[in-house]
Amino acid sequence: DIFLEKLRTFDGSISVTAGGTITAALVESFTDSDANDISLTTTTGDILGDAILAGSQGDVTLDAAAAIMATVTADTLEALAGGPVTLATTVTSLDAETAAAGNIIIAESADIFLETLRTFDGSIAVTAGGTVTAALVESLTDSDDNDIVLTSTAGTIQGDTILAVSQGDVILDAAQTISATVTADELIARATGDIALNTTVTRLDAQTLATGDIFITETDAIALDNVQTADGSITVIAAGSIDAAQIVAGVGNDVTLQSNGVVAATVTGGELTVLTAGDITLTTLVESLDAETTAVGNISITETDDIFLEKLRTFDGSISVTAGGTITAALVESFTDSDANDISLTTTTGDI
């Protein structure tokens, strides 16, 4: 083991290799240069660093047989650990990986580029004072405990690949917009601007807290626990069924649901468009509705108030609409001529 009380070069690199734990009070390359890198390595033991300073151009490499806990200023930071990684950073880019069980926790002061953030078996949490741009964030072991949380307190979240496999959850919380590709069990997304997500998830809870649209493309079936815009449109395209407990786009904002399975949804919005290959079951508070089945499937609508039916068409199925106000219908059609394909329009108050 070694305690580095102070390791400082006026203009040069620093390299330390220890057979035990490295505890560093101060390791600093004083002259800011791309050549003035800092490297700390343990063959057994941890790396514990109070202040590791390579300026804005020098890189830092931390390679620990066990855990890493450090405060680092650098251009690029690379951290490899045999245990958990906890870092307070002011860096441009980060590559961090655990080779055994252990969580990764990052607190970044400004923008950060996550080149690779990977746990062998552990959760990942990143909080940044600016934009989070992620090339790959991955928890390798499929476990309900191995969640991924990315938070931007003053910027966007842009994620090329965020993988929590099928049991881990992902939480994205951005001060501005979110654009990401996510694989997870449950995905929670909060933004003050647009949210654009390519997903392979079981459940989704997404909400914009200011003006912004939500656009979701799902590779399979999806349950929408809560999808809301403060002021913006909502579009969900799924390769499987859509089961939506609550979709709220507010007055005048459009909602589009497209599915290769069935659609069951409770929707509040302006114009609602639904295209699906199966049944459509909707509870609505919308201004107008355009709904169509492209295969065998019935349409059942329960509307709270007045509704304009721009187009209601089943390829082969019945249609039923009940409204708390007037029903105005431009086109209601059961395309396949069959005794079972009846059409029923009912108002509890108002005209048809």
Side-chain angles (χ1 to χ4, degrees), residues 222-238:
I222 190 169
L224 305 176
D225 293 337
N226 172 47
V227 177
Q228 293 192 49
T229 55
D231 182 10
S233 65
I234 296 173
T235 301
V236 180
I237 300 171

Side-chain angles (χ1 to χ4, degrees), residues 207-259:
Q207 189 171 346
T208 64
L209 306 178
T211 302
D213 301 328
I214 294 178
F215 195 100
I216 310 298
T217 303
E218 164 63 32
T219 60
D220 203 345
I222 190 169
L224 305 176
D225 293 337
N226 172 47
V227 177
Q228 293 192 49
T229 55
D231 182 10
S233 65
I234 296 173
T235 301
V236 180
I237 300 171
S241 297
I242 297 173
D243 184 0
Q246 178 173 256
I247 299 174
V248 180
V251 177
N253 293 311
D254 298 340
V255 176
T256 301
L257 305 177
Q258 184 173 324
S259 164

Side-chain angles (χ1 to χ4, degrees), residues 77-80 85 87 94-98 104 106 116-118:
L77 170 57
E78 183 177 354
L80 177 62
V85 174
L87 297 169
L94 173 64
D95 187 333
E97 186 170 351
T98 65
I104 293 178
I106 310 298
T116 301
L117 225 60
R118 178 184 288 130

Side-chain angles (χ1 to χ4, degrees), residues 57 151 187 267 348 351:
Q57 298 184 57
T151 303
L187 170 58
V267 181
T348 56
D351 305 325

Side-chain angles (χ1 to χ4, degrees), residues 51-68:
I52 302 171
L53 310 175
S56 63
Q57 298 184 57
D59 301 331
V60 170
T61 301
L62 305 177
D63 189 347
I68 294 174

Side-chain angles (χ1 to χ4, degrees), residues 139-153:
S139 181
L140 283 176
T141 300
D142 194 9
S143 168
D144 186 54
D145 295 327
N146 293 347
D147 299 336
I148 296 172
V149 180
L150 304 183
T151 303
S152 165
T153 59

Side-chain angles (χ1 to χ4, degrees), residues 1-7 21-26 48 50:
D1 298 346
I2 189 169
F3 173 61
L4 305 177
E5 185 173 350
K6 181 175 67 178
L7 227 59
T21 291
I22 295 175
T23 305
L26 174 63
L48 309 173
D50 288 342

Side-chain angles (χ1 to χ4, degrees), residues 16-53:
V16 179
T17 301
T21 291
I22 295 175
T23 305
L26 174 63
V27 179
E28 181 180 17
S29 180
F30 198 72
T31 301
D32 194 9
S33 169
D34 186 55
N36 293 345
D37 300 335
I38 296 172
S39 174
L40 305 182
T41 303
T42 67
T43 55
T44 61
D46 306 324
I47 294 175
L48 309 173
D50 288 342
I52 302 171
L53 310 175

